[in-house]
Amino acid sequence: MQQSMSQWRRFCRNTSALFGLVVIIIIAAAALFAPWLATHGIFTQNLQLRLAAPGAEYWLGTDELGRDIYSRLIFGARITLYITCLSALIVGPIGLLVGTIAGTVGGWVDTVLMRIVDIFLAFPSLILALGFVAALGPGIENAIIAISLSAWPPIARLARAEALSIRKMDYVAAVRLQGASQMRIILRHIIPMCLPSVVVRLTLNMAGIILTAASLGFLGLGAQAPSPEWGAMLSSGRQFMMTNWTIAAIPGLSILLTSLAFNLFGDGLRDVLDLRHD
């Protein structure tokens, strides 16, 4: 308990990390209470009010079909957080398990698993995600699968590096002498020690996941119309950049702010969970 309070005080001293956490909480709360915060229907069209400027009735204006941008932005946060959190829940366990098995067992198992990781790392993550989603087809679920398949290799690399150092510790040797199996050592002793580093890396990776999801939506391979996904909103509003720049700027700034918040939060979390911190 005392250690947790000390870590929390250390985290609070990092103003940028605290700012990131506050922004994430605000976005999550907006997504959770979207039905009550929205002022208009997200699919309601009114062509007589298309491209309306921000005002008292439409706080952030309307898009090319007369839909309220503010309401669509709030509901779009749900889609973004859904893709981000679900991708992280898939990527974390896969990368952690593959990396710890490779680092602990070693030998040909390590060689085979790391060569597979190298193949995935040979391609930029966005290009790899585009290839997977092009093969699977457009849609949110397929986008999550594509993002997860392209995002787990760095986690596996990190977990392997941690496992290589942990497996040489005395307590692991003592457990092995007591007759514990390799899988028991991995699940009970290696993985818990690797978790802090993996959690920090996942938090930092969420910014990349958000950008990848927005890129897929921008290209029409993620969430499909008329879903209020931020990347898709940015794509539909780009043609009006010269006349109604807010249509594209608002979802673009939302993507930027959310990505920045996760980066700042992850950076502060790394300082807190660093066991070498004095």
Side-chain angles (χ1 to χ4, degrees):
M1 184 65 180
Q2 185 176 359
Q3 182 182 4
S4 300
M5 291 301 297
S6 175
Q7 290 176 333
W8 172 247
R9 286 193 294 268
R10 190 191 309 162
F11 181 85
C12 290
R13 287 196 294 268
N14 189 334
T15 54
S16 60
L18 194 61
F19 170 77
L21 177 60
V22 171
V23 171
I24 293 172
I25 292 175
I26 292 174
I27 294 173
L32 182 63
F33 298 105
W36 295 274
L37 294 176
T39 57
H40 296 78
I42 60 174
F43 302 123
T44 303
Q45 301 180 14
N46 188 348
L47 295 180
Q48 293 180 344
L49 295 175
R50 64 188 300 268
L51 304 179
E57 183 178 359
Y58 297 99
W59 296 349
L60 297 179
T62 61
D63 62 10
E64 71 279 5
L65 296 177
R67 298 172 297 191
D68 181 39
I69 295 178
Y70 163 74
S71 300
R72 291 177 61 80
L73 192 73
I74 294 296
F75 275 91
R78 283 187 163 188
I79 299 176
T80 298
L81 293 182
Y82 170 71
I83 294 175
T84 304
C85 295
L86 191 55
S87 298
L89 289 176
I90 296 173
V91 167
I94 293 176
L96 183 60
L97 190 60
V98 171
T100 51
I101 290 176
T104 305
V105 177
W108 67 268
V109 174
D110 182 24
T111 302
V112 171
L113 291 178
M114 286 303 102
R115 294 301 76 78
I116 295 174
V117 169
D118 289 339
I119 293 173
F120 278 88
L121 291 177
F123 300 92
S125 59
L126 178 58
I127 301 301
L128 197 60
L130 285 172
F132 282 124
V133 79
L136 296 171
I140 294 180
E141 290 76 15
N142 290 339
I144 293 173
I145 295 173
I147 293 171
S148 302
L149 289 174
S150 63
W152 70 268
I155 304 298
R157 275 288 185 188
L158 175 64
R160 175 182 179 270
E162 294 282 340
L164 286 174
S165 60
I166 295 171
R167 73 175 185 176
K168 299 177 182 178
M169 293 184 177
D170 294 339
Y171 81 93
V172 176
V175 172
R176 186 176 287 110
L177 288 174
Q178 291 177 356
S181 64
Q182 287 277 35
M183 189 54 62
R184 180 179 177 85
I185 292 174
I186 293 171
L187 295 177
R188 296 291 299 274
H189 303 284
I190 303 295
I191 286 181
M193 294 295 293
C194 296
L195 271 178
S197 298
V198 171
V199 168
V200 171
R201 182 58 186 266
L202 274 176
T203 307
L204 292 171
N205 278 7
M206 283 184 177
I209 292 175
I210 291 172
L211 292 176
T212 303
S215 300
L216 294 177
F218 183 86
L219 296 173
L221 297 174
Q224 298 299 294
S227 297
E229 197 271 329
W230 290 346
M233 292 174 63
L234 179 60
S235 177
S236 63
R238 61 178 172 167
Q239 56 184 317
F240 305 103
M241 282 289 294
M242 302 305 296
T243 55
N244 296 79
W245 59 272
T246 56
I247 299 178
I250 290 172
L253 288 175
S254 301
I255 296 170
L256 171 64
L257 183 62
T258 307
S259 302
L260 178 63
F262 275 108
N263 266 331
L264 294 176
F265 175 65
D267 189 60
L269 201 62
R270 178 184 58 192
D271 295 337
V272 170
L273 296 180
D274 188 359
L275 300 178
R276 296 167 295 183
H277 188 88
D278 293 331

